[in-house]
Each structure stands twice: as structure tokens, then as C-alpha cells.
Amino acid sequence: MADEIFAIELKGITKTFGSVVANDNIHLTVKHGEILALLGENGSGKTTLMNMLSGIYHPDGGSITVRGNEVFINSPKDAFALGIGMIHQHFKLVDVLSASENIVMGTRAQKRQGKAALSAEITEISRKFGLQIDPGKKIYNMSVSEKQTVEILKVLYRGADILILDEPTAVLTPQETEKLFSILRRMKAEGCAVIIITHKLNEVLAISDRVTILRKGKSVGTVATVETDAKKLTELMVGRPVELLIDRPDTSKAPSLLEVVHLTVKNEEGYDALRDVAFDLAGGEILGVAGVAGSGQKELCEAIAGLAKIEKGAILFNKESIAGKTPAEIIKSGISMSFIPEDRLGMGLVASMDITHNMLLKSYKTGKPFILDRKPARALAEHLVKRLAINTPDIGTPVRQLSGGNVQKVLLGREIESNPSLLITAYPVRGLDINSSYTIYDLLNEQKRKGVGILFIGEDLDVLLELCDRIMVLCHGEVTGIVEAKKATKEQIGLMMAGERQRGEVGNSA
Amino acid sequence: MPEHTITTKNAAREQAVRIVKRKELNTWKAVLLRAAAFVLALAAGGIFILMMGSNPLEAYAIIVKGAFVGSVRNPLSSIQATVIIAVPLLIVSLGLAFAFKMKFWNIGAEGQMIAGAIFASYFALRHSGMPHVLLLLTMFAAGAAGGGLWGLIPALFKVRFGTNETLFTLMLNYIALYFIKYLESGPWQGTKGFASIAQFDLNARLPNIGGVHAGWIVALMLVVLTYLYLNHSKHGYEISVVGESQATARYAGMNVRRIILRTMFISGAVCGIAGMIQVSGIDYTLSMGITGGVGFKGITVAWLAQLNPFVIAGITGIFSILEKGSGVLQSELGINAAMTGVLEGIILFFFLGCEFFIRYSFVFRKRRAKSS
């Protein structure tokens, strides 16, 4: 493999989905023994581009060259044959099988060699790249980080030397991220070409050799990592200079609004999703919730909103128990939830309905009996579109056709317009570009100034530390600590996310 | 580093045809595409007719003529017969639209129709002495209640135990059907030795309006009522939300269980009304052939119409014309009347296929080479 030959060279790649141009004339190269970061805001076309490399999508135009040969990657099988392996954001593993079974699945290896030889081979690859895995362990017994390791082994086992990782750190604690990065460096040393997709600047700076930046489906530039910094990258990514500070207005301490004591909630499978959770939240305060995905955030939101059954404990809102009340009663009392699930439209909005009908969701019961009155909802929809600069052809467009940022504005806008006294918001900036994210932070701060108590479930620790007053950390459904955001560090929270209990707790009587 | 024996052989050529999602078509184009599907369906049906040795154009002309042009003595007789075919199909299709809008797969319209017919028949057989109007209104209410309760059973099991409504409603059809058999030879037996139920008293029969039993007025009123309920009532809005996402409905504070039960009661009740109209307007008795299969045909109609009540009326019209006309086709060209079934199948097939083209389009290798 001569140095002049790129592991992958993309020329003029174009891909459209209906009227949406996801990739527009994109150029990108990566060499063996190099880590390339693919940086761009959500919706800038990173994943689409990589899916074309792994054979899931097919480009509408442009060419793909692998090791100097132009190729057409028609299926994931072709991608494997070319030595390209992708580690997807959402793992594609069979839960009930062991690590080694998942690794060999779909290859002919099982028939060729025995279990022992297979284990030996997997251990050999693990050793080479510094991965730690027990080949016999079942997937359902694994942590997220272990599952990711299996995914990586899976592609390495298939002989991939061009690896694509799609937002690999989104589900990891800071410590786990560091471990992943050392594995990636090992791969680089072994001569692999690595492409890492991310929108986190500090990670780009920490791991990559070069950065290719996408903006709105176009490649706007490639820079060497050593010659750039976070500010310059943001400018390239957003297209203009951006102030990266989040405001944290000081508000006078109001009396406690929400008190949660010894809250235990079971998930759908009957396991404890939340165990003995206790915290309080005052009006005019933003309480952040940090934790690896699936640590009980969803159940916490649903318990407060009356959607999940409370096993033990109590939730007091304005000194009154809301356990056992119906969601309708809880909405009436002034608790408002805007939960952005992973698929963004699963709860809170009806994807096939337009903005007007989504406004109706919380208010349709008011007004004349029996007859549905669309007028106030239409007015509200028009008001929100103007006030939040929602980008939509008109208020009659189904929300599924709106971009992620606009969908979130619709959802959060509706919740805020209902004048809540408690706002539960989960991942409100997930999938948003930087500009929209800041609009959302401003909206939340505006509510905070009005004395609304806000429970903010977040994923980006930097944002949590800047925006929130206090941060509660969840790990496996338990509170590992509540910290003062001004004094806390990312490392401290990271350790708590991994299960280490905080000493000298603040504002938590559990 | 694992060495590659890279065979670019299989990755050297692009696939000849790819399927890509297209942008959402505007309503006008979508309508045009569906109209094209209908014409193509007729053309495909024509080939079928041609294979049976007849001229398709002639056959279609006979079907239309047969559905509209009556005899010399009674020029309206054909239209009336067509309307009689259309009434139960229209009502049942409307009834199904309620359940389908909620994505509750009610395959039990047959059973709900029968249950309605049984309830109505009870009053026709046992309380025929009531004043005429009162008796008919009672039978109407009983029909709705019977169908509604029969529809409520699978809904109850669904919200309580999460049972599969498709199987449940389907099985209930047979229970209802064979209950008629029991009534025929048991408590409601008309004449000793014959397994049949007595004819209704004149008092329990629907009056004729315009040469056809009054059911057609009920059907047309139901079209408007269904439209208003589904599109302009709070209940209708709830149905749409529950159909799209139960999680969202619960989040919005809706009582999902109650909505499912209520909607299935309405769905069954409308089907039950169709049953009452059949026994009181056409058969004047209760027999096992009462539904004529409209409970299943209604599923096709409701889907073809995409649950729009006015379109349901239109599709019902087309299907009824086909059915009435095919009877004439048999006597004039010797083509079996089962031809309607074939034609309906072909129309359904083309419409379903057309949905695919509304959402996706094909990209051929050559075209791409040019554009790039």
C-alpha cells in the first residue's frame, strides 16, 4: 500500500432523498494510518455519506475509489469485501448471543473452525488492538461500552482495515471515550484508516489527524487538526462566527416546587428502571440530569408526567402528591413535558399531522363541547412559526417533513405556550444545529426567569455544566449524586455516570 | 494487518435499477396517478375478458348498461337494484373507517352486522305489534346496540389483555354466523321441520322511498355524519391521534382505553345498522346469507377510499355497478358473474401497487450516467 494511494477517495458524491439534497458534490480522502474526523452539525449529511461507503445507500452521482480502484458498493457485503467496516450509532447485535457468536455471524468461519480456535483468534485480534472482551459473554449482560467493543471486533474480524465510526462517543462516559480513543490510536498505528463521525469539537481535536467539515450537505473544507482550533472549526461548521457561551441567569431562590422521594419505577420488562431516586427542584431553577443513555431518564420523565406507574415513593408537586393522578390531571396542574425521544417524533408530536393539529394535542379539550375548534390552534401555530422562526412551507405541512430543529421548536414552543410551572424537557437540542440549540437555551432561560422550574435531561456535559444550576447524575436508575454546576467538573460527573458515588452531597437528603 | 484479496468483481458494476424514495407528491398528481391505476386496472381486466373470448369494450358497456338501464316496463329497476347492492356495502365500509382510522384492524364487520340483524330481528319477531314507526326506530337502535356490543368484545380484550384484534374479530364472525343457525332450528324456528326463521310482519319492514327501501337515506346520512365525526369532532381527533401513536395520545392526557372502546362500539354499531337494514329492508327475515360478504368487501372499499367517507361512497358506487352489471354480463355474454370478483381484485391490486409509485420511483443505471 503506497502512501500516494488513498484508502478511500470520494469525488463529487451526491445523494438526494426526494427533495432533500443530503450530500452535494462531496470530496473526501483518507489514508492508511490516519484518523479523519468527519465534522458537521446534525443533518449535514455525515451519516448519509458514510452509509454510502458501507453499501446501505447508493450515490446518485460521483465516484468512490478504494485503494486506487473505482468501485460501486452495492451492498454491505461489497463493503466488507473491500475491507470497509462501519460501526453504527445504534448497535446491530443479537442480544441473546455471545460476543464471539455475534462476531462471526454472517461469515463462514463457524463451519471452518471450532469454538476454541475462534476464541483464540478473537483474543488475538483483541490483544493486537488493545480491546478487552470476554468472547463468551452474552450481549445482554454487557454495558454500552462493551457492546461497542464487540461491534469494533466484528468489523476487524472480517478483515476491515478501513473503519468508520458513527458518533461512537454519544453513549460513552468521558472515561470510556478516552479508552476508545486509545484503541483508535492503536488501529492507526497498525495501519488502519479510520473515519470518525462526530459533532463534538473537543473530540475532533483530541483524536484526529485531519478534519473534513460538512455543512448542509456540502464539504466546506479539510484542515489538518494541528493547524486549527475549536473556534475555527465552529466557524467552518456553522458558516459564521458563533459565540459559544451559554447564559446562566441568576434567579432568586424560590420555594421548592417539585419534591421526589424514594421513587422506584419499573420498566416494561419489570426491572427497576429507577431505584430510590430523591431530589428537589425549585421554581426558577434548571436542574440538569446527566447519565449514560438508558439510565432511567425516560422513566423519570414519564413518572412525573403520570405516564409510568410508580412502584414506591412519592412525587410532590407544590406539596401535593401527584402519584396516581392521570396524565390529564397532571397537565392541568401545570406540569408540562416535552420529551424528545430518540426517534424524535415518537411522543409529544404526531408525525403525520401538521403544526396546527399538533398544537391541538394539549388543548383540544377546551372550547365548545364535542366539536373540534381548530381556530385557536391555527392562530397559535402561526404565532409560533413567527416567534420561533420555524422554517416550514406553511402551517399545514406535516411535521414529519420538517427538519429536526424545527420539529423541536414546534414541540417546545407548544409546551411553553401552555404556561407551565414545571417544564420537563428531555434532549431538547438533540439533532439541532448550533444556532437552533442556542435558541432553545434562550427559551429555557426565559422560562427560568419567569420562575418556571425546569428539569433538563441532557447528554452533552459541557452544555449541562454551563446551562444548569445543579446537575443530578443517574447511573443504572440510581442517583449517584447531585452537584452544583458551577463547581463541578466534567471528570467528576463522568465518574458518577459510571457509578461512583459522590462524597459530600449537595442539596440532596437521600 | 489482514491481507486483502480484494475482488472488485462484484463491486465493479452498479445495479441496473434502484428504487429511491421520491418527494411527497402533491395531491393533484397523486389523484392523477390513482386515476391512471384505475384505467390500467380496467385494461388488465379487459385482457382477462379477452382471454375468455369476449370483447372487453362490449363487456364493459354491458356492465354499465346493466347497472343503469332497466327494462321497458320499469326503466328504473336496474338503478334500484344497484342501489340495493350499494346500501349495505356503503354502511359497512363507513363503519370500518372508524376502526381503521384508529389502526384497529376490525375484520369483524360480518359478525357485527349479523349481531345487529339478530338484535333487530328480535323486535321484528317478538314485538311486531308495536306502532310502525316506533318499532322501526326500536329495531334501528337494537341493530346499532347489537353491532356495537359485538364490536366492543374484541376491544375489551384488546385493552385488557392485549389480544390480537384481527384474529379476534375474525373469529367472532363465525360465532355470530352460527348463532343464526341455532336460532333457525331452535328458538326462532318458523315452521316445524324447516330450519328457517319466519318472515317479518309487514309492520317490521322498512318503507320504500323512491322505489328502494329507506336504507339508502340512512346510508347517505351516515356518509355525512361519519365525515363530520371523524374530521370535525374532538372524538375524531382523538381517534386520529390514537391511530398514529398511543404513546403520544397518553402523553396528551387522552384516555386511550376509553377511546378504543368507544370507537369500536361506534364501528360495530354502524355495521349493526347495516344488518338491521338488510333484514328489515331486503330479506324480511334473518338467514345465514344476510351479509352477502359485504363485511369483507367493505375492508377493500374503506382502504381504497383511504378512509374518506365521500370517496367511500364513490368506490361503493363503482363496486356496486360492477356487481349488478356482471349479472347481466352472465346472461348476455355467458361470462360468469364471478368476473366481478376478478375485476375487484385487479382494481385493488393496481391501487395498492400505485401507492408504491406514489412513494417511490425507479432510477435506471443509464439515466444516472447521463446526469453525472
Side-chain angles (χ1 to χ4, degrees), chain A residues 34-95:
Chain A
E34 182 187 51
I35 298 178
L36 176 80
L38 189 55
L39 178 70
E41 302 199 78
N42 283 294
S44 60
K46 296 168 295 188
T47 304
T48 305
L49 186 65
M50 291 303 115
N51 276 338
M52 280 188 271
L53 273 180
S54 56
I56 293 170
Y57 295 147
H58 312 283
D60 295 335
S63 69
I64 302 174
T65 309
V66 176
R67 295 187 196 83
N69 302 318
E70 184 171 351
V71 293
F72 294 100
I73 305 170
N74 291 323
S75 71
K77 228 175 171 173
D78 290 354
F80 274 128
L82 291 166
I84 300 171
M86 181 152 173
I87 291 115
H88 293 271
Q89 205 170 350
H90 303 288
F91 303 140
K92 299 175 190 313
L93 297 170
V94 180
D95 266 357

Side-chain angles (χ1 to χ4, degrees), chain B residues 142-336:
Chain B
L149 291 174
W150 207 246
L152 208 53
I153 298 170
L156 262 172
F157 276 81
K158 169 101 178 174
V159 299
R160 278 257 163 260
F161 308 110
T163 52
N164 178 316
E165 75 266 22
T166 314
L167 282 173
F168 210 114
T169 48
L170 184 67
M171 291 305 140
L172 278 177
N173 287 341
Y174 300 103
I175 295 177
L177 186 64
Y178 288 100
F179 194 72
I180 299 185
K181 201 173 182 90
Y182 159 74
L183 291 173
E184 276 176 344
S185 46
W188 287 2
Q189 192 175 37
T191 321
K192 274 253 173 301
F194 292 94
S196 69
I197 294 165
Q199 289 274 307
F200 289 179
D201 193 280
L202 273 176
N203 201 22
R205 298 182 187 183
L206 279 178
N208 269 11
I209 296 174
V212 184
H213 65 79
W216 66 273
I217 294 177
V218 176
L220 288 182
M221 274 162 54
L222 279 173
V223 171
V224 178
L225 288 177
T226 305
Y227 168 78
L228 291 177
Y229 186 84
L230 288 180
N231 295 285
H232 290 285
S233 80
K234 293 190 198 300
H235 286 184
Y237 179 72
E238 288 177 334
I239 291 173
S240 310
V241 175
V242 170
E244 284 296 327
S245 162
Q246 297 202 5
T248 306
R250 260 184 289 117
Y251 159 88
M254 293 179 186
N255 187 336
V256 174
R257 289 180 171 200
R258 197 172 64 201
I259 294 166
I260 291 178
L261 293 175
R262 184 180 68 207
T263 307
M264 262 316 283
F265 182 85
I266 294 172
S267 178
V270 173
C271 295
I273 290 170
M276 176 269 171
I277 286 173
Q278 277 312 91
V279 289
S280 170
I282 301 290
D283 296 352
Y284 306 136
T285 183
L286 180 62
S287 71
M288 286 184 73
I290 159 169
T291 66
V294 296
F296 294 122
K297 209 186 239 184
I299 299 170
T300 315
V301 174
W303 271 120
L304 282 179
Q306 305 209 317
L307 310 184
N308 177 323
F310 296 111
V311 183
I312 285 178
I315 304 266
T316 303
I318 293 172
F319 273 32
S320 305
I321 290 166
L322 278 178
E323 188 169 334
K324 171 66 182 65
S326 295
V328 185
L329 205 57
Q330 177 152 29
S331 56
E332 292 209 4
L333 291 182
I335 297 176
N336 194 303

Side-chain angles (χ1 to χ4, degrees), chain A residues 342-501:
Chain A
E342 256 148 59
D343 57 1
R344 216 177 273 155
L345 287 165
M347 194 196 275
L349 293 174
V350 183
S352 64
M353 291 184 177
D354 59 23
I355 302 180
T356 305
H357 284 86
N358 273 297
M359 291 300 130
L360 277 170
L361 208 50
K362 284 283 183 72
S363 61
Y364 76 98
K365 281 178 183 157
T366 57
K368 286 175 264 185
F370 197 73
I371 296 159
L372 188 67
D373 187 6
R374 291 185 172 86
K375 252 188 230 139
R378 208 171 286 136
L380 178 60
E382 268 159 10
H383 168 72
L384 277 185
V385 167
K386 252 187 246 140
R387 181 170 167 229
L388 303 181
I390 295 169
N391 188 6
T392 171
D394 55 71
I395 56 167
T397 308
V399 292
R400 91 175 107 81
Q401 287 178 34
L402 303 184
S403 75
N406 289 307
V407 167
Q408 254 123 303
K409 283 183 194 168
V410 171
L411 178 55
L412 202 60
R414 183 189 68 204
E415 296 309 313
I416 288 172
E417 285 301 324
S418 69
N419 279 325
S421 45
L422 173 65
L423 187 63
I424 306 164
T425 173
Y427 314 118
V429 298
R430 179 178 271 171
L432 295 199
D433 57 50
I434 289 181
N435 203 25
S436 305
S437 301
Y438 279 75
T439 312
I440 301 282
Y441 301 142
D442 288 344
L443 279 174
L444 292 176
N445 276 328
E446 190 187 307
Q447 293 300 302
K448 179 183 170 183
R449 282 195 202 96
K450 276 168 70 181
V452 176
I454 297 169
L455 189 68
F456 179 94
I457 321 273
E459 28 196 1
D460 191 331
L461 291 184
D462 294 307
V463 171
L464 281 166
L465 285 167
E466 283 182 58
L467 177 72
C468 304
D469 298 300
R470 289 182 300 148
I471 299 170
M472 170 167 81
V473 186
L474 286 177
C475 176
H476 297 307
E478 290 182 60
V479 176
T480 46
I482 298 179
V483 293
E484 210 64 63
K486 272 182 205 158
K487 295 175 197 152
T489 65
K490 220 166 139 181
E491 288 65 38
Q492 184 191 1
I493 293 177
L495 287 173
M496 284 155 68
M497 280 164 71
E500 191 163 304
R501 295 223 169 237

